[in-house]
Amino acid sequence: MQALAQALQNLGDWLTLHLTMWILVGTGLYLTIRLRGVQFRLLPAMVRSILSSRAGASGGISSFQAFTISLAARVGIGNVFGVAAALILGGPGAVFWMWVIALVGMATAFAEATLAQIFKVRADDGTFRGGPATYMWLGMGSRKLGVLFSVLTIATCGFSIIMVQSNAISGIIGPGSSVNASKEVTAALLFVLAAPVILGGIRSVARVTEWMAPIMSVVYLALGLGTLAVNYDRVLPALEIIVESAFGPAQFAGGVTGGIMAALINGTKRGLFSNEAGQGTAPNAAATATVAHPIQQGLVQSLGVFVDTIIVCTMTAIVILSAGSSVYAPGALDPSQAASLTQKAVVSALGGWAEIPMALIITVLAFSSVLAAASYSEVAVNFISPKKGGRIFVRVLSVVSTVLGALATLELVWNSVDVMMAIMTATNLLALIWLAKWVSGALRDWESQRRDGVKTPVFVGKNNPNLPADVKTNVWETPAS
């Protein structure tokens, strides 16, 4: 198992360094330029979109619910465990590269969510379905590519990502933790909690994540800010070391296995795992929303990347760095300690009373990510075949993966998800470049209506002069849609 885990890590590092990193940043920069810095220009509109996103679902899934499904996946273990792992493996400089991935990734997230909305289709239960597989099919004209991406999504989300999240839960409440539950007890508990929600389908997941993800995120932010308040004199030095570690001369001397290369590789990998921009998972949630215009959901999902990395991940990193060498000492920690590193940093500042609340918060955040990944798998299998048997299969797979993840070895789980995510991301980013004209056309349509004084722009997919062609679904045929 150890040899397999090491082989997967080597492959994941190679893919990140030679493929994912370049195409991820390159696509983000391309979309930033083509969309005229949409993530910066329309940041106020993003905030307004969130504030009004609970309305207008008409019995379906609201824009806010779709946002919370993706937020549940984003603000989870990637923010707590992933940031800690990046600091251990890549040093403080890895956080800087997480910022870079996030800022250009906001444009990528905007584009993929907008495309998911443009090309969404209506499911048998009246809700909407879509995502990369659907826009590869209807936008690029390649159903085979869509099927391939769906298979990758099921393998990555229904298996690898879910296992990562449940594995982290096992590390937080398992043997040696403050809770000290056995792995078997943790696996059984996760089964009891996950099975009813996952087997209930996407509507069930949306109802749970709508309140779970925002509440736990706010509580986590409160504890994190409390920690920073105690260590206020260490906040600026922590930010300085992040920047210095990313660009300092000492980092360039590290070579491929250390220094700046380690920071780049781990910042990219953990940044992608945390905010998912470009990976192609979040658009599956974005497509389910009932909105008047695709751009509305693009704005909402783009803001999710900002909240995830620039706010939450940065806070986590500073919490750890400000805790001092007794908690975090670069080069002296093993990756297996990442699961509890953030928790130890908070406890060191606030006291022992915070240990149990932190364990609960991280557990719930990871659990919400399990639910989100399960919903992505269901969207993917629905693209391959809309028959009920397929949906039941991925729901069962997701529940089984939840149980297995609590029992598996950490290194094998993490390294397998890195490889799968790299392949998924490369496939999705190529589609985004191909279909960028649809995103810019939809954005022109939305902005022109806003300039004309329309408070809530409405999208029509037929005979729209801003689009390169008619949308090949009946969802956007009339304004009433």
Side-chain angles (χ1 to χ4, degrees), residues 376-459:
Y376 295 161
S377 303
E378 184 169 334
V379 171
V381 80
N382 195 67
F383 177 84
I384 298 172
S385 173
K387 294 181 180 179
K388 187 177 180 181
R391 294 195 293 274
I392 293 175
F393 167 75
V394 294
R395 290 175 188 176
V396 172
L397 173 66
S398 298
V399 173
V400 171
S401 298
T402 304
V403 174
L404 290 178
L407 305 171
T409 29
L410 180 72
E411 291 83 6
L412 182 61
V413 172
W414 267 104
N415 296 340
S416 67
V417 80
D418 284 338
V419 172
M420 294 301 297
M421 283 171 53
I423 298 171
M424 269 188 73
T425 302
T427 307
N428 182 52
L429 292 176
L430 291 174
L432 294 185
I433 294 172
W434 186 284
L435 298 171
K437 58 187 177 183
W438 286 90
V439 182
S440 58
L443 182 57
R444 282 195 304 272
D445 181 68
W446 185 87
E447 290 188 303
S448 67
Q449 291 188 52
R450 292 285 294 179
R451 284 194 298 270
D452 290 340
V454 179
K455 184 177 180 181
T456 304
V458 175
F459 184 73

Side-chain angles (χ1 to χ4, degrees), residues 224-369:
L225 291 174
T227 303
L228 297 183
V230 172
N231 296 329
Y232 70 93
D233 57 328
R234 303 177 186 175
V235 172
L236 285 179
L239 289 170
E240 288 173 1
I241 196 173
I242 288 173
V243 177
E244 288 172 0
S245 298
F247 293 107
Q251 301 306 310
F252 285 88
V256 176
T257 58
I260 192 171
M261 297 313 296
L264 270 168
I265 290 172
N266 287 284
T268 301
K269 288 198 298 186
R270 298 285 75 83
L272 175 59
F273 182 80
S274 175
N275 64 53
E276 299 185 21
Q279 182 184 323
T281 47
N284 293 295
T288 64
T290 303
V291 293
H293 200 291
I295 294 300
Q296 179 182 336
Q297 200 62 28
L299 294 171
V300 167
Q301 300 297 139
S302 183
L303 185 63
V305 175
F306 182 88
V307 170
D308 170 86
T309 305
I310 305 301
I311 297 178
V312 182
C313 284
T314 300
M315 184 197 73
T316 300
I318 297 175
V319 163
I320 294 172
L321 292 173
S322 66
S325 57
S326 61
V327 174
Y328 172 71
L333 296 175
D334 185 86
S336 63
Q337 297 174 270
S340 58
L341 187 58
T342 307
Q343 183 184 29
K344 288 178 181 177
V346 172
V347 169
S348 71
L350 301 183
W353 68 267
E355 191 169 3
I356 296 297
M358 275 298 295
L360 177 62
I361 290 167
I362 296 171
T363 298
V364 175
L365 286 174
F367 180 68
S368 66
S369 296

